[in-house]
């Protein structure tokens, strides 16, 4: 079974690679002018959507190249968009009277379609590489291979089962919408956290081409995620955020030990693991 990269993502990543190659020169130009790039711009949102989804978003490639990893603060907003689209379809299906099992299945299918299975691909690659190789180089080689192995298949099966069970558990409760939006938002924030604190494990690849965001960029993204969680999760916010933090720490620790840093696959796997953990938290609350 083979997996292919999203052409839209490859296009944006290629543009960002050009930017990273000229990053030092541009930073020197800013210093000469006495200017500093803005921490947040609205152009970051379509750039993030273009990178992390297959939505037909018109991306200003010049702005994306100019910003590079500085647009990573908008990754949580991508989660908000994906959760909103999923919730709209789920609400329609509930109104039409579809069985809960069918609606829960669509709640898994819709994000996969919107993202081009980017995060599922990362989870499968990490499962194959991190546990299928004995050295860093061999693990990275396996992770880059388009074929999928037993570890990858099992990881995908287990992730689908856990997400399906959690979504089904909250589907007919008042925490259904909060579960969708908080899980999608916070899980993508964890990607930014790993991008900031972990070095790149390999030269080249999607994560390396995007670059590493500053701590200020990461804090803005975390601020968005915390606000969304406070608004929708209320009293459960500390419980949710601690679970998310532990998920990020576990993924980062494994990646650091196994390959010495992060890759695009590690970021995708982290997003999916965090989403599963948060959905399970909400399913527990709903019981």
């Amino acid at each position: 079974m083979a997996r292919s990269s999203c052409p839209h993502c490859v296009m944006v990543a290629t543009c960002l690679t050009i930017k990273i190659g000229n990053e030092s020169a541009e930073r020197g130009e800013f210093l000469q002018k006495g200017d500093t790039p803005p921490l947040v711009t609205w152009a970051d949102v379509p750039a993030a959507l273009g990178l992390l989804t297959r939505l037909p978003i018109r991306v200003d490639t010049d702005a994306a190249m100019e910003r590079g990893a500085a647009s990573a603060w908008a990754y949580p907003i991508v989660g908000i968009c994906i959760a909103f689209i999923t919730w709209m379809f789920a609400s329609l299906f509930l109104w039409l009277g579809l069985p809960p099992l069918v609606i829960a299945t669509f709640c898994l299918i819709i994000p996969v379609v919107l993202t081009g299975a980017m995060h599922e691909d990362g989870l499968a690659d990490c499962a194959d590489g991190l546990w299928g190789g004995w050295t860093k180089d061999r693990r990275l080689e396996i992770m880059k291979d388009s074929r999928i192995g037993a570890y990858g298949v099992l990881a995908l099966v287990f992730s689908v089962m856990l997400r399906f069970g959690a979504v089904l558990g909250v589907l007919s409760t008042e925490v259904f919408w909060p579960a969708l939006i908080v899980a999608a938002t916070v899980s993508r924030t964890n990607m930014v956290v790993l991008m900031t604190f972990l070095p790149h494990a390999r030269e080249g690849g999607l994560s390396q081409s995007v670059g590493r965001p500053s701590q200020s960029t990461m804090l803005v993204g975390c601020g968005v995620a915390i606000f969304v969680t406070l608004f929708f999760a209320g009293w459960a916010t500390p419980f949710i955020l601690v679970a998310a933090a532990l998920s990020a720490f576990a993924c980062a620790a494994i990646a650091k030990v196994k390959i010495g840093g992060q890759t695009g696959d590690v970021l995708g796997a982290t997003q999916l693991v965090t989403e599963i953990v948060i959905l399970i938290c909400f399913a527990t609350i709903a019981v």
Side-chain angles (χ1 to χ4, degrees):
M1 185 183 300
R3 301 187 297 278
S4 59
S5 299
C6 168
H8 199 183
C9 299
V10 172
M11 177 193 72
V12 177
T14 302
C15 294
L16 291 173
T17 303
I18 299 172
K19 165 63 183 172
I20 297 302
N22 297 324
E23 194 174 68
S24 297
E26 291 183 357
R27 188 178 294 114
E29 182 180 349
F30 275 123
L31 291 175
Q32 290 176 6
K33 293 179 179 178
D35 297 331
T36 55
L39 182 59
V40 172
T41 70
W42 286 114
D44 293 338
V45 176
L49 285 166
L51 183 66
L52 298 181
T53 75
R54 287 188 171 181
L55 291 170
I57 300 296
R58 179 172 300 211
V59 179
D60 185 338
T61 55
D62 290 335
M65 290 168 61
E66 180 67 26
R67 295 289 290 165
S71 64
W73 71 268
Y75 289 5
I77 296 179
V78 175
I80 294 173
C81 295
I82 291 173
F84 180 69
I85 295 172
T86 304
W87 174 78
M88 284 198 307
F89 278 100
S91 298
L92 174 63
F93 297 150
L94 282 168
W95 181 74
L96 291 174
L98 270 64
L101 291 174
V102 175
I103 299 175
T105 302
F106 273 111
C107 286
L108 269 62
I109 293 173
I110 293 168
V112 170
V113 172
L114 293 176
T115 62
M118 173 186 290
H119 307 300
E120 285 76 10
D121 180 78
L123 179 66
D125 282 341
C126 282
D128 281 334
L130 299 183
W131 279 271
W134 294 100
T135 65
K136 172 185 174 180
D137 291 340
R138 179 55 181 158
R139 288 165 183 151
L140 289 172
E141 180 184 353
I142 294 173
M143 290 169 68
K144 197 173 182 180
D145 194 332
S146 62
R147 292 169 295 183
I148 186 170
Y151 286 121
V153 170
L154 289 172
L156 289 176
V157 170
F158 293 150
S159 72
V160 169
M161 291 173 63
L162 288 170
R163 279 181 291 167
F164 179 81
V167 170
L168 188 61
V170 300
L171 185 60
S172 300
T173 71
E174 61 183 10
V175 301
F176 174 53
W177 167 233
L180 288 183
I181 191 168
V182 172
T185 303
V186 177
S187 62
R188 284 165 179 81
T189 307
N190 272 356
M191 296 172 61
V192 186
V193 173
L194 262 67
M195 289 171 67
T196 303
F197 289 111
L198 283 184
H200 297 292
R202 67 155 63 96
E203 293 296 326
L206 181 59
S207 178
Q208 196 277 337
S209 67
V210 172
R212 294 180 66 181
S214 66
Q215 291 190 21
S216 297
T217 298
M218 180 205 68
L219 290 174
V220 174
C222 289
V224 173
I226 292 172
F227 174 80
V228 170
T229 307
L230 281 169
F231 187 83
F232 287 98
W235 63 267
T237 295
F239 176 48
I240 300 297
L241 294 181
V242 168
L246 291 175
S247 301
F249 179 80
C251 292
I254 293 171
K256 183 67 175 177
V257 170
K258 294 283 189 177
I259 57 175
Q262 50 90 3
T263 66
D265 287 329
V266 171
L267 300 180
T270 300
Q271 186 279 322
L272 210 53
V273 168
T274 306
E275 182 176 289
I276 291 169
V277 169
I278 293 176
L279 288 173
I280 291 174
C281 289
F282 274 101
T284 303
I285 294 170
V287 173

